Amino acid sequence: MATKIFVDAGHGGTNPGAVGNGVIEANVNLAVATALANNLRNMGYDVREYRTTNDENVITPIAADLRKRAQTANDWGADYFISIHTNSSLDPAVNGFETYVYRLGTRSAQLAQSIQDSVVQRLGVKDNGVRQANFSVLRNTRMPAVLVELGYLSNPTEALNLNSPLWQNKMASAIADGINNYIKR
Ligand SMILES: [Zn+2]
C-alpha cells in the first residue's frame, strides 16, 4: 500500500491568512499545495488534499477549522501531514523559509529538516531553520507533521516570488523532493 500524505493548504474561505504587498496567503498556499500534491502523486504516493478550492471544507470559527483539518488527516490514517502556509512580519526586511514542528528531536523534525535542506538548496532562499511551535494542526495530528512557511508576504521581493506560478511550482517540487528524500532515506 502506498504511503499516505495529507496536504493541507492553510486558511481559505473567509480567512485569507496573511496579506502583504497585494498578495493573499490563502491563494499562495492553495497554489503550492495543489502543485505539491501533484508532484507527490507522480512519485507514487497516495495524497489527500484538505481543500482544492478557496472554500472547500473550510469552516468557522478558526479553532474548529484547525481541529477539523487534523481530525480529517487522523481519520484518513495519513502517514505524514504537511501544512502549507506563508508568513508575514511587521518588519519588511524579514525574509526566508522555515518549517515548524510540535517537538524538536522527532521524526517530524527530521522530515522538516529534509524539506528545509531541499528548498534552501533549490531556491536559494534564506534558511530560517526548523522551529518548534504549539500550532493546533501539529498538536492534534497523530502522524509526523510539518507546517511549512514558504516566505514572507511582507517582504516585497518574496511577495513577488510567492505570487509567481513559476516560483510556486519550483517551491512545490523542492518540498516534494524533501519529503521523498526523507521517506526513501
Ligand atoms: Zn498561515
Side-chain angles (χ1 to χ4, degrees):
M1 232 169 60
T3 299
K4 293 162 87 169
I5 303 177
F6 192 91
V7 176
D8 172 45
H11 310 282
T14 57
N15 172 13
V19 181
N21 292 290
V23 184
I24 298 168
E25 178 187 352
N27 297 343
V28 175
N29 297 345
L30 181 60
V32 173
T34 302
L36 171 62
N38 289 335
N39 275 281
L40 291 170
R41 283 194 185 100
N42 289 338
M43 290 168 162
Y45 293 108
D46 187 2
V47 180
R48 178 152 171 188
E49 292 156 273
Y50 187 70
R51 65 178 179 97
T52 56
T53 66
N54 186 51
D55 296 325
E56 186 186 6
N57 287 326
V58 180
I59 60 167
T60 52
I62 288 171
D65 178 65
L66 294 171
R67 278 196 301 273
K68 187 183 168 197
R69 290 169 196 251
Q71 191 60 49
T72 305
N74 290 342
D75 291 347
W76 182 51
D79 295 301
Y80 299 96
F81 179 95
I82 309 291
S83 189
I84 303 295
H85 284 257
T86 311
N87 224 331
S88 182
S89 167
L90 292 173
D91 179 357
V94 172
N95 68 93
F97 181 89
E98 68 240 23
T99 44
Y100 288 88
V101 295
Y102 187 58
R103 293 266 183 270
L104 298 174
T106 56
R107 288 167 65 206
S108 298
Q110 290 175 346
L111 171 60
Q113 187 63 58
S114 184
I115 294 169
Q116 197 72 36
D117 292 345
S118 178
V119 169
V120 167
Q121 189 199 335
R122 292 264 296 280
L123 287 99
V125 289
K126 181 166 171 274
D127 187 356
N128 290 337
V130 178
R131 299 173 174 183
Q132 189 273 332
N134 184 18
F135 291 147
S136 174
V137 292
L138 300 179
R139 186 177 65 247
N140 291 314
T141 39
R142 295 198 201 102
M143 67 295 302
V146 175
L147 187 144
V148 170
E149 290 281 4
L150 301 168
Y152 285 77
L153 293 177
S154 43
N155 179 278
T157 306
E158 285 206 326
L160 208 62
N161 284 337
L162 290 161
N163 201 34
S164 142
L166 193 71
W167 184 267
Q168 291 166 351
N169 287 332
K170 232 173 129 176
M171 186 62 91
S173 169
I175 294 169
D177 285 347
I179 295 167
N180 190 51
N181 290 342
Y182 171 77
I183 294 173
K184 299 281 159 64
R185 74 202 183 282

